[in-house]
Amino acid sequence: RPTEGTERFLREKFARKPDIAEANVLAFRAGWNYGETTESFATSYEVAPATDFPPGRYRQITGNAALAYGVVAAGQCARLPVFLGGYPITPASDILHELSRHKNFGVTTMQAEDEIAGIGAALGAAYGGALGVTTTSGPGLALKSETIGLAVMAELPLLVIDVQRGGPSTGMPTKTEQADLLQAMFGRNGESPVPVLAPCSPGDCFTTVLDAVRIALTYRTPVLLLSDGAIANGSEPWLIPDASELPDLSVTFANEPNAPDGSGEHWPYLRDQETLARAWAVPGTPGLEHRIGGLEKADGKGNISYDPDNHDRMTRIRQAKVDGVAVPDLEVEDPSGRAEVLVLGWGSTFGPIGAACRAVRRRGHRVARAHLRHLNPFPANLGELLRSYDKVVVPEMNLGQLAMLVRSRFLVDAVSYTKVAGLPFMEEELADVLLRHIGETGTGLAEAA
């Protein structure tokens, strides 16, 4: 590779110590020249230009850094102050560390005494009109479950980022896993539905945060974002977005009493008929005194209610709100247009699945792939898409959690391929699995050109 960029970096890094800078440059040149002239290596490599990347300015980014920058950008797009309440936990700690550097963007970070205090502070910030965020890993998500349920009942926007790791309990903190999906979906008491999203790569973390915040603010709901250790610590070239092209996430706070009976009161649970979101009234706004909390609320007025019919109605409304979250249709990659085996994935399996599919196609076989970002609610076209293939294979770094959801929701006989070794899938192992299933259908061979 060219040496100019590295030399420029060294001189800039040690600009205040020219002698040290020059020593580093000389050492670098000596090492480069040795590699160029030695005959110790049987093979040398030249890295070609990245012609498949769209033009623009790129930087290297890790998943945790992209999550942090996404939170900063979301606060700017929403025109809201950002508050992160968190507790150090591997492999999510770097998000807290990075966000602590960006006070100039209206970001406040608090390292709480424990996981419960962290999310409690974040939910309090959301109650006060800020963008509340909390970060954790699997063990911390379990501790935060009661407060997530409170956010569901209070119907406040809250972003909960779970960077998954090996479990259960303390498990393997430095190893990757995808085993928190069912916890994210159902790990709370009562009927407590929350939207769940998962990025597929380090760079995708940035976009997924913006999408998650859009949902949280639009529908007044906590949202769970599932990253994992492989994404958090992995890195890739990231096309720096144009700030002017980021989405408008601005919100409107309630500013006057809304009671439909003309009483001049504020009803905290009066809803937008399209999104079913309740009004967001910042405490201290004159005339908008109201009460929210963890006890069941009367529809509209928000008074504490033990009425059975009201509880049934409010439970169904909260579920309908999440079910009605607008998510894009799932896209399928099928170059032949005639594949009969579909590989369905989510999260960090994106890279290995893509590599395996390309390897299978190079051997003359047809295979399609689709990757989910939205896990709750699923894309509206997912059921029809799954039923259009003879076989659906779901590779996961757990014991088949997405496969279980797909089978129960759509009655599709999805085939689960699992690995819980703390390591990501390899291209070769997934390619072998796909070739076996393609062979079982008997129709996977592509026609010669």
Side-chain angles (χ1 to χ4, degrees):
R1 287 186 53 78
T3 61
E4 292 82 2
T6 302
E7 292 188 11
R8 183 170 59 251
F9 164 78
L10 291 171
R11 289 196 167 95
E12 289 175 356
K13 181 175 179 63
F14 299 105
R16 296 183 180 181
K17 299 179 179 179
D19 293 344
I20 300 297
E22 193 61 29
N24 274 273
V25 169
L26 291 173
F28 168 69
R29 287 178 178 173
W32 194 94
N33 290 328
Y34 173 78
E36 178 74 6
T37 59
T38 184
E39 297 181 358
S40 300
F41 308 116
T43 308
S44 61
Y45 298 90
E46 181 174 340
V47 180
T51 56
D52 294 337
F53 285 81
R57 187 179 183 188
Y58 286 79
R59 58 153 290 172
Q60 173 271 347
I61 200 164
T62 65
N64 277 346
L67 289 172
Y69 295 159
V71 169
V72 173
Q76 295 295 299
C77 293
R79 299 173 181 84
L80 293 175
V82 174
F83 179 89
L84 172 69
Y87 181 77
I89 183 171
T90 303
S93 300
D94 286 342
I95 306 171
L96 172 62
H97 300 160
E98 182 61 40
L99 282 173
S100 69
R101 301 185 177 103
H102 299 289
K103 300 179 180 66
N104 56 311
F105 287 108
V107 177
T108 300
T109 56
M110 183 186 81
Q111 180 176 317
E113 66 266 30
D114 55 40
E115 296 282 3
I116 299 172
I119 189 173
L123 184 58
Y127 178 54
L131 174 57
V133 183
T134 189
T135 55
T136 190
S137 189
L141 184 62
L143 292 168
K144 296 178 189 289
S145 61
E146 184 177 5
T147 308
I148 296 173
L150 174 58
V152 170
M153 180 65 81
E155 300 191 38
L156 286 168
L158 178 69
L159 177 60
V160 181
I161 297 175
D162 172 20
V163 185
Q164 301 166 96
R165 72 189 204 188
S169 186
T170 311
M172 299 190 295
T174 61
K175 300 300 181 181
T176 192
E177 206 166 277
Q178 288 183 292
D180 293 350
L181 176 56
L182 295 183
Q183 180 181 198
M185 290 283 290
F186 308 117
R188 294 164 296 282
N189 63 296
E191 296 287 346
S192 302
V194 298
V196 181
L197 294 82
C200 67
S201 70
D204 189 50
C205 287
F206 180 87
T207 307
T208 305
V209 167
L210 293 177
D211 201 5
V213 171
R214 168 190 69 86
I215 293 171
L217 296 177
T218 301
Y219 298 90
R220 308 286 195 269
T221 179
V223 176
L224 268 161
L225 187 153
L226 298 179
S227 178
D228 63 46
I231 292 176
N233 298 314
S235 65
E236 67 177 341
W238 178 57
L239 177 60
I240 300 174
D242 186 337
S244 65
E245 297 178 357
L246 296 178
D248 182 3
L249 301 177
S250 56
V251 297
T252 301
F253 293 107
N255 54 22
E256 59 183 5
N258 62 358
D261 60 4
S263 63
E265 297 178 350
H266 177 68
W267 286 14
Y269 286 86
L270 199 64
R271 301 176 182 281
D272 180 283
Q273 293 303 305
E274 181 179 351
T275 64
L276 298 180
R278 74 172 187 87
W280 194 3
V282 176
T285 305
L288 301 190
E289 294 82 5
H290 64 287
R291 176 172 56 189
I292 61 174
L295 292 171
E296 183 61 278
K297 301 296 179 288
D299 190 12
K301 292 185 177 182
N303 297 326
I304 295 173
S305 173
Y306 276 78
D307 179 71
D309 290 339
N310 176 79
H311 177 56
D312 184 273
R313 180 167 62 254
M314 292 292 279
T315 299
R316 294 180 187 277
I317 288 174
R318 289 187 288 264
Q319 183 64 58
K321 183 172 67 172
V322 173
D323 290 342
V325 168
V327 302
D329 282 349
L330 184 62
E331 297 183 359
V332 177
E333 176 193 293
D334 181 7
S336 71
R338 293 179 295 141
E340 300 195 10
V341 172
L342 171 71
V343 191
L344 181 68
W346 69 280
S348 63
T349 58
F350 178 81
I353 289 175
C357 287
R358 291 189 292 272
V360 168
R361 291 168 189 154
R362 285 195 297 269
R363 300 186 195 185
H365 297 271
R366 298 190 296 265
V367 65
R369 66 174 295 205
H371 212 79
L372 287 165
R373 170 185 286 172
H374 297 91
L375 298 161
N376 191 38
F378 284 132
N381 68 331
L382 179 58
E384 178 183 359
L385 189 154
L386 296 175
R387 287 187 283 268
S388 65
Y389 290 87
D390 287 354
K391 183 169 288 190
V392 177
V393 181
V394 185
E396 298 180 80
M397 291 187 293
N398 55 49
L399 295 182
Q401 297 185 15
L402 176 61
M404 179 191 301
L405 294 174
V406 166
R407 290 169 69 96
S408 64
R409 183 74 58 85
F410 302 110
L411 302 181
V412 170
D413 189 18
V415 178
S416 183
Y417 180 73
T418 64
K419 179 178 181 178
V420 197
L423 299 170
F425 289 110
M426 302 298 289
E427 172 191 322
E428 296 82 0
E429 65 176 309
L430 283 184
D432 290 343
V433 171
L434 297 182
L435 288 170
R436 184 171 71 249
H437 288 294
I438 289 171
E440 290 173 357
T441 65
T443 56
L445 285 173
E447 294 180 1

